Amino acid sequence: MGAIVESSGKDLSSDACGIVTKVEEKFFTCDVCKKEFSQKCLLKSHFVTHANEKPFSCDICSKQFSRKSNLIKHLRAHTNEKPYSCDVCSRKFSLKNHLNQHVRAHTNEKPYSCDICNKNFFQKCHLNQHFLTHTNEQPHCCDLCSKQFSLKSRLNQHYRTHTNEKPYSCVLCSKQFSQSCHLKRHLRKHTNEKPYFCDVCHKQFSRKDLLNKHFRTHTDRNCRAGSISSPKNQNAAP
């Protein structure tokens, strides 16, 4: 661990009589990254990030952390504590940043923008994933068939085609699925939920692909109507 470097800076201040005096303020500087701290204890806490020390351990699963605040956040995964609540819909979250991300679903705020195509995103991780579509970078490789993927989540999904693992199970009929999206789609058969609706005739569908297939019936009719009317328009032309 690096040594603590103590430095000082002088500032000017005046007392009640207006007499200017020199006030000496001490700083504690990290000799690794030169970051300064006003208190020695803050510097010591910062040093842990350089030393890779993890002195805080979970009593339940023994996972270790470099900071006590990270351990406290982790413990909520065991206790299911959710101290942060949405003012709009009352949904609760274990982490404040998860609440902030959720609130954007209500406000439709998308603060992260792609520099190439200007597409906006709710979360920075979604922007990072999207950016790979421009670079065509595929850093995640299957060690069984060498197929490459831009996202680690896609690699995990692909890997299950080799292992036939189906970790997502329906609580109503016990049918198992390899992907969570497939389970969600299956659950709509039980609940009869139809979240996708046609803008033209307002018919509802449980799956987006069924909506897309249905929508083509409207566009096909328009194309046929156009082909029938076009000869009449041509005859009417001078």
Side-chain angles (χ1 to χ4, degrees):
M1 183 180 292
I4 296 174
V5 180
E6 183 176 325
S7 61
S8 64
K10 292 184 178 179
D11 193 10
L12 298 178
S13 63
S14 57
D15 59 13
C17 299
I19 300 173
V20 176
T21 57
K22 288 184 178 180
V23 178
E24 188 173 348
E25 186 179 359
K26 292 184 177 180
F27 296 96
F28 300 91
T29 306
C30 172
D31 65 349
V32 179
C33 66
K34 308 303 178 185
K35 191 172 183 179
E36 292 184 329
F37 299 84
S38 59
Q39 298 178 35
K40 194 173 183 178
C41 60
L42 295 177
L43 174 59
K44 287 184 176 179
S45 177
H46 162 78
F47 254 130
V48 176
T49 61
H50 293 301
N52 200 29
E53 292 181 11
K54 295 182 178 180
F56 304 100
S57 178
C58 175
D59 294 332
I60 300 173
C61 68
S62 302
K63 191 173 182 179
Q64 294 177 310
F65 300 87
S66 58
R67 299 175 63 180
K68 189 175 182 179
S69 59
N70 291 340
L71 170 61
I72 292 172
K73 291 175 184 178
H74 163 78
L75 283 170
R76 293 181 189 139
H78 296 296
T79 63
N80 203 30
E81 181 190 0
K82 297 180 178 180
Y84 303 102
S85 178
C86 175
D87 294 333
V88 179
C89 66
S90 301
R91 188 175 174 182
K92 295 183 178 181
F93 300 87
S94 58
L95 302 177
K96 190 173 183 180
N97 64 315
H98 289 174
L99 170 61
N100 293 338
Q101 292 170 4
H102 164 80
V103 166
R104 294 183 191 129
H106 296 297
T107 62
N108 203 32
E109 179 190 3
K110 296 180 179 180
Y112 304 102
S113 178
C114 175
D115 294 334
I116 298 175
C117 67
N118 297 320
K119 190 173 182 180
N120 297 319
F121 298 88
F122 290 110
Q123 299 180 34
K124 190 174 182 179
C125 61
H126 294 165
L127 170 60
N128 293 338
Q129 292 173 359
H130 161 80
F131 196 74
L132 295 174
T133 62
H134 293 297
T135 63
N136 202 29
E137 182 184 356
Q138 295 180 318
H140 307 286
C141 182
C142 175
D143 55 4
L144 295 176
C145 69
S146 301
K147 192 173 182 180
Q148 292 178 302
F149 299 87
S150 58
L151 304 178
K152 189 175 182 180
S153 58
R154 299 275 170 84
L155 170 60
N156 292 338
Q157 291 173 1
H158 161 79
Y159 199 74
R160 294 183 192 125
T161 63
H162 295 296
T163 62
N164 201 31
E165 180 189 2
K166 296 181 178 180
Y168 305 101
S169 179
C170 176
V171 294
L172 297 174
C173 68
S174 301
K175 191 173 181 178
Q176 294 178 311
F177 301 87
S178 60
Q179 298 183 34
S180 60
C181 60
H182 293 168
L183 171 60
K184 289 177 182 178
R185 189 171 64 186
H186 163 80
L187 281 170
R188 295 187 190 120
K189 293 181 179 179
H190 295 296
T191 62
N192 202 32
E193 181 189 1
K194 296 180 179 181
Y196 305 101
F197 70 93
C198 174
D199 292 333
V200 179
C201 66
H202 304 292
K203 190 173 181 179
Q204 293 178 303
F205 299 88
S206 61
R207 288 161 40 186
K208 192 173 182 179
D209 61 315
L210 295 177
L211 169 61
N212 292 337
K213 184 178 180 180
H214 161 81
F215 195 76
R216 286 195 288 271
T217 63
H218 293 297
T219 57
D220 288 345
R221 286 192 196 115
N222 291 337
C223 290
R224 287 196 294 270
S227 62
I228 293 171
S229 62
S230 57
K232 293 182 180 178
N233 294 333
Q234 290 173 0
N235 293 333

